[in-house]
Amino acid sequence: MSKLEIRLKETADQINVALDALLPKAQGSDARLVEAIRYASLSGGKRLRPFFTLEAGRIFDADESALMRVAVAIECVHTYSLIHDDLPCMDDDDLRRGRPTLHRAFDEATALLAGDALLTFAFEVLGEPVTHSDPQMRCKLIVALAKAAGAQGMVAGQAADMAGGDIGSDLIAVTRMNRLKTGALINYAVDAGAMIGCASEAEKTSLSRYAHDVGLAFQMVDDLLDAEGVVRDTGKAVGKDKDRGKVNFVTVLGADATRDRIAMLADQAKQHLSLFGPRAYVLNEAVDFIITRRH
């Protein structure tokens, strides 16, 4: 493995340990619900969003404990979004991270409630004093996550995705949809690390622009994997968008043009990090990982 892959694995292991410690244990009358929450949350995954929070904060030597708790909250929101995205009323998927989706492993109602529980748990984690000693910082983190995850962010993007054919071949609409559905939470992950690290306005702007370009590139790679990938590598169903008549960057641009835009976004993302010099080495290397991944 490359140094970055080792770093990503170390981060994923740290997030798994932190999640395991913070999530409730299965016992009593709510045991089945908690089992479902833990099944979905501790089932692996790249943990890329928490990785962005930790690495952005480390540029400024931010408090590691605060970064980790915010990273856990972000992963809870991300997992909730995957649970709901897989439901029969949404994308109706049977496979996630190489295992049966939550509603297949348990049942639809339990999956719905597990997603609800993870979303609310994220704000519980952010609101606790142990996350950050400054209540104003906790409030800023909470409000920013609510915007990123809600009707101005991820949920709005999901609604646009469900509208599907209504978008047609409008590249601007497709870009906005993915900027919200995928990019909003990635942007928050990077922004949160900068906030905790007390970055200057110029530094926050540079990192936010980096996150914007990385988020779009990430989704474009996802669209390519859906069109050209194999289940063995992706750990989830492929060819879904075409089968369901949904639009994405590949259906609008074609595969080759999508690759060209990924390369352009990758170059831009790296340029945004120039302000930080070698301090942003890991974030810089992460760009190449994102655009060459197979899962």
Side-chain angles (χ1 to χ4, degrees):
M1 289 194 296
S2 67
K3 289 183 179 179
L4 180 70
E5 288 172 324
I6 293 171
R7 186 102 163 203
L8 280 163
K9 185 180 184 306
E10 289 173 349
T11 297
D13 290 343
Q14 290 172 337
I15 293 298
N16 289 340
V17 170
L19 271 169
D20 184 44
L22 286 171
L23 289 172
K25 301 296 188 289
Q27 56 186 357
S29 60
D30 60 349
R32 181 172 172 79
L33 173 62
V34 174
E35 285 173 6
I37 290 169
R38 298 179 72 85
Y39 175 92
S41 302
L42 301 173
S43 61
K46 294 179 289 295
R47 311 301 194 194
L48 201 54
R49 291 153 187 80
F51 173 83
F52 280 134
T53 300
L54 293 168
E55 295 301 337
R58 286 167 179 165
I59 290 175
F60 310 101
D61 296 322
D63 180 75
E64 197 77 12
S65 176
L67 291 173
M68 184 59 67
R69 287 182 63 88
V70 174
V72 165
I74 292 169
E75 189 60 26
C76 286
V77 172
H78 178 53
T79 303
Y80 128 78
S81 74
L82 299 181
I83 294 170
H84 282 198
D85 195 39
D86 290 337
L87 287 171
C89 63
M90 303 286 270
D91 281 353
D92 194 16
D93 278 322
D94 296 329
L95 197 66
R96 172 69 67 180
R97 293 172 175 170
R99 302 199 304 174
T101 49
L102 190 59
H103 68 277
R104 295 299 183 197
F106 287 77
D107 58 75
E108 189 174 344
T110 300
L112 180 67
L113 293 171
D116 292 343
L118 280 167
L119 175 61
T120 51
F121 183 67
F123 292 102
E124 177 183 336
V125 171
L126 290 183
E128 290 177 338
V130 68
T131 295
H132 200 284
S133 59
D134 183 353
Q136 290 189 358
M137 177 60 75
R138 299 199 302 273
C139 288
K140 288 179 181 178
L141 290 166
I142 289 169
V143 170
L145 181 57
K147 288 181 178 179
Q152 299 177 58
M154 186 173 65
V155 171
Q158 180 65 21
D161 187 36
M162 295 301 296
D166 295 343
I167 295 176
S169 59
D170 185 343
L171 179 59
I172 293 175
V174 172
T175 301
R176 180 182 182 275
M177 174 184 74
N178 288 297
R179 173 75 191 92
L180 295 171
K181 182 182 177 183
T182 302
L185 195 58
I186 289 177
N187 242 106
Y188 174 79
V190 175
D191 291 346
M195 288 168 61
I196 296 170
C198 299
S200 68
E201 288 306 312
E203 290 168 334
K204 288 178 182 177
T205 298
S206 293
L207 284 171
S208 185
R209 288 173 177 170
Y210 163 85
H212 173 275
D213 290 345
V214 163
L216 281 179
F218 183 93
Q219 184 58 52
M220 288 181 183
V221 172
D222 253 15
D223 291 348
L224 281 172
L225 290 174
D226 183 72
E228 304 174 344
V230 294
V231 174
R232 182 182 64 254
D233 294 333
T234 63
K236 59 182 179 181
V238 297
K240 298 181 300 180
D241 288 348
K242 181 180 179 181
D243 292 344
R244 295 165 185 165
K246 296 175 73 172
V247 297
N248 61 35
F249 285 113
V250 175
T251 63
V252 172
L253 292 171
D256 290 340
T258 299
R259 289 189 185 92
D260 290 342
R261 286 180 181 257
I262 290 170
M264 178 194 70
L265 288 165
D267 288 341
Q268 284 183 179
K270 292 178 179 181
Q271 290 171 19
H272 294 317
L273 296 176
S274 61
L275 175 66
F276 306 103
R279 290 186 294 158
Y281 169 79
V282 176
L283 288 181
N284 191 76
E285 291 289 301
V287 177
D288 291 328
F289 169 82
I290 287 168
I291 65 173
T292 59
R293 65 192 175 90
R294 291 293 176 266
H295 59 87

